[in-house]
Amino acid sequence: MTWESLPDRYLNKRELRDLVEDLAQRPELWSPHVEFGDSGEARHYASLHRDSFVDIWVICWRPDDDTGWHDHDVSSGAVRVVAGAVKESNPRIGGAHLETLVAEGQSLSFGPEHIHRINGYAPESVSIHAYSPPLWRLGQYSISDDGVMRRASVSYADELRPMDTEALV
C-alpha cells in the first residue's frame, strides 16, 4: 500500500500499517509539517491527506502530551513512529494497564474495538497515523477512582486530552 496507490475502498489495519510504513520512508511528504511548541501548549498535528476512505496525520509529541483514553469509533488505524518514542497504554479491568513503548522505526495497528491512550515518551517525537474509514467521531473515556469507565463521543477535530485525573504510570 502506498500513497499513490490508495484504492477507492476502506483499508484494513494491515493495509493501514503498510501505508504508514511507506510514508515513514518518504519524509518529504510529512517533515515540512513537523513542529514543536512550548510545554503546556497543545501538541502539534497536521492532516496530510483525507478522502472518502482514509485520512492520514502527522503528530508531534513532547513527553507531557497525552491523548487520554479513547477509541476511534468505527475506524481502524495504524501508527508509525518516525522520531523518538511514544507510549501506548491499554486499559485492563482489575489489573495494571498494559503499557508498550513504541520507539522510532516501530509501528502498531488496531481495529475499531481498540481502546488506548498515547503519550509522548521521548523529547520531540513524531508519528504518522492513518485511519479508515476517515475519523468522524471518537470515543473519549474517563476512569473514576473507583474504576468506573465512561465514554463520551467527540468530534475528530477536537483535541484529545485526558478526561480523568488518573496519573500516567
Side-chain angles (χ1 to χ4, degrees), residues 13-18 20-21 70 72 76-81 86-90 100-103 105-111 114-118 127-131:
K13 64 184 182 181
R14 285 179 290 288
E15 292 170 316
L16 290 166
R17 183 178 238 160
D18 291 345
V20 296
E21 293 292 338
H70 67 281
H72 300 91
S76 292
V79 176
R80 169 61 147 73
V81 177
V86 299
K87 181 173 64 174
E88 182 195 34
S89 300
N90 303 105
T100 305
L101 185 64
V102 185
Q106 296 179 325
S107 60
L108 60 102
S109 62
F110 47 86
H114 191 73
I115 299 171
H116 68 173
R117 81 189 301 161
I118 294 180
S127 55
I128 299 170
H129 301 237
Y131 304 100

Side-chain angles (χ1 to χ4, degrees), residues 50-66:
R50 186 176 179 93
D51 63 25
S52 298
F53 302 102
V54 67
D55 66 329
I56 305 166
W57 299 79
V58 61
I59 301 179
C60 303
W61 303 86
R62 295 160 308 199
D64 56 344
D65 290 332
D66 179 9

Side-chain angles (χ1 to χ4, degrees), residues 3-54:
W3 179 274
E4 296 84 12
S5 67
L6 290 173
D8 289 337
R9 62 173 173 77
Y10 297 137
L11 305 181
N12 64 43
K13 64 184 182 181
R14 285 179 290 288
E15 292 170 316
L16 290 166
R17 183 178 238 160
D18 291 345
L19 177 58
V20 296
E21 293 292 338
D22 174 67
L23 289 170
Q25 304 308 312
R26 304 170 67 189
E28 69 277 6
L29 298 174
W30 51 266
S31 64
H33 303 282
V34 172
E35 180 180 317
F36 296 93
D38 295 328
S39 182
E41 293 180 9
R43 73 182 156 272
H44 177 75
Y45 52 94
S47 175
L48 301 176
H49 174 83
R50 186 176 179 93
D51 63 25
S52 298
F53 302 102
V54 67

Side-chain angles (χ1 to χ4, degrees), residues 104-168:
E104 184 174 332
Q106 296 179 325
S107 60
L108 60 102
S109 62
F110 47 86
E113 75 289 346
H114 191 73
I115 299 171
H116 68 173
R117 81 189 301 161
I118 294 180
N119 67 285
Y121 186 80
E124 300 192 351
S125 299
V126 180
S127 55
I128 299 170
H129 301 237
Y131 304 100
S132 185
L135 295 176
W136 285 107
R137 306 291 304 165
L138 295 103
Q140 194 164 21
Y141 295 84
S142 63
I143 303 174
S144 67
D145 289 339
D146 60 359
V148 174
M149 180 181 273
R150 301 207 186 288
R151 182 183 192 271
S153 184
V154 297
S155 166
Y156 80 96
D158 292 335
E159 171 72 8
L160 287 177
R161 290 282 180 200
M163 292 179 60
D164 57 32
T165 58
E166 177 185 54
L168 290 176

